[in-house]
Amino acid sequence: MSTVRPSTTAASPSTARAWPPVWRALPVGGQGAGIGLVLGGLLSQEFGAAVATSLFPRAGAAGIVTLRLVLSAVLLLAVCRPRVRGHQRVDWAVIVGFGAALAGMNFLFYQSIARIPLGAAVTFEVLGPLVLSVVLARRAASWLWAGLALAGVALLSRGGLDRLDPAGVAFALGAAALWAAYILMSARAGARFPRTDGLALAMAVAAAMSLPVGVVDAGGALLNPVTLGLGAVVAILSSALPYTLELFSLRRVTPSVFGVVSTLAPVVAVAAGYLVLGQVLTLVDIGAITLVVAATAGAVLTARR
């Protein structure tokens, strides 16, 4: 899943699928604590994805992502209480686009982790923000980072993509493209809606879009009390808790530091996949993921400078 950043995140790729640009109004200080909060958000996000994967036998990937989006929307609407009056038609068009990107990104990501290891899926997914940051940076040096990332991807998929599962890789790359779109739409929504109103409304749109697919795919399994309870845990781990930790972290660190620390998402995903799902990657796979992490961090630093 998943699991979006402020407008500066176009040059600062990271994991969780998150807040509008509220950081501009927040003070910066306590950088060590802020970095700890970013790491806490990553841990929550990726372990939430691992827990979601373990629930696929209960309701399928589409059913679980629907459950996550619906419960997250209910939670965000209750906490944020966004204002729905006084907005223009173009504002609502942005929210619909934002929600569509959010729903599509999460659906594709969950389909991916149903087929390939979590660490590999996240590694492919971060290519979306990476490419976006390279394009927006408009610096020749940024393309060197892109080349390093491609080397990592080639190493990860050595011997043919069927080693991983072509469909799983394709879904992850689709999620990467939608993550880049999500970043751009997040920036637009943040410019048109106060506080976290844009995110809450977009989450509601994403939930509404996902509901028919989830109902058709999972049916009555979505109403199973155990599945509902575990789905709530996934919603908290993958959405509510990471968003909250990121909000507080952005009070203490600059967006560039936030972006660099967030590039550790594939590493955290590998750990979550191993500890929760028993997914083991080879040393070559871990080396490939390290190349992508290094490339993403370099692209963030180059873009910020």
Side-chain angles (χ1 to χ4, degrees):
M1 145 304 321
S2 226
T3 257
V4 189
R5 296 288 181 256
S7 56
T8 53
T9 311
S12 305
S14 52
T15 62
R17 301 116 174 144
W19 290 102
V22 294
W23 60 270
R24 298 180 187 181
L26 300 174
V28 175
Q31 183 163 284
I35 291 174
L37 290 171
V38 179
L39 291 173
L42 289 180
L43 287 168
S44 181
Q45 174 90 43
E46 303 308 337
F47 275 87
V51 172
T53 304
S54 69
L55 297 180
F56 289 168
R58 287 183 170 272
I64 296 302
V65 74
T66 295
L67 207 54
R68 173 195 164 181
L69 291 174
V70 169
L71 293 174
S72 297
V74 170
L75 182 61
L76 282 174
L77 290 174
V79 173
C80 301
R81 296 181 181 180
R83 183 169 59 88
V84 296
R85 296 182 179 179
H87 300 296
Q88 300 177 356
R89 182 177 299 177
V90 65
D91 297 331
W92 289 112
V94 169
I95 290 298
V96 171
F98 191 9
L102 172 60
M105 176 183 66
N106 279 279
F107 262 101
L108 292 177
F109 180 71
Y110 273 49
Q111 291 294 333
S112 175
I113 61 177
R115 293 167 171 81
I116 63 177
L118 179 60
V122 174
T123 301
F124 284 116
E125 191 191 26
V126 298
L127 294 179
L130 171 61
V131 171
L132 183 62
S133 69
V134 168
V135 171
L136 295 181
R138 298 178 181 177
R139 295 174 182 267
S142 297
W143 292 100
L144 296 177
W145 300 117
L148 182 62
L150 289 176
V153 170
L155 188 61
L156 188 62
S157 57
R158 71 195 187 287
L161 291 180
D162 55 340
R163 184 183 69 86
L164 287 174
D165 183 293
V169 173
F171 281 127
L173 293 176
L178 284 176
W179 191 357
Y182 181 92
I183 291 170
L184 297 175
M185 296 307 298
S186 174
R188 293 186 180 183
R192 293 178 176 275
F193 291 84
R195 302 182 300 278
T196 56
D197 286 14
L199 175 63
L201 293 171
M203 188 70 78
V205 171
M209 289 180 172
S210 69
L211 194 56
V213 180
V215 169
V216 170
D217 185 68
L222 292 177
L223 300 179
N224 180 280
V226 176
T227 303
L228 279 173
L230 293 174
V233 172
V234 170
I236 293 172
L237 287 176
S238 298
S239 299
L241 185 57
Y243 296 167
T244 302
L245 293 177
E246 288 167 5
L247 175 63
F248 284 111
S249 72
L250 286 167
R251 294 179 178 178
R252 295 169 172 82
V253 299
T254 61
S256 59
V257 171
F258 179 87
V260 170
V261 177
S262 294
T263 60
L264 294 174
V267 177
V268 178
V270 169
Y274 174 73
L275 293 174
V276 178
L277 304 171
Q279 297 174 344
V280 180
L281 298 180
T282 67
L283 289 177
V284 175
D285 293 331
I286 293 173
I289 291 171
T290 301
L291 287 178
V292 175
V293 169
T296 308
V300 170
L301 291 173
T302 300
R304 290 306 298 169
R305 281 196 292 268

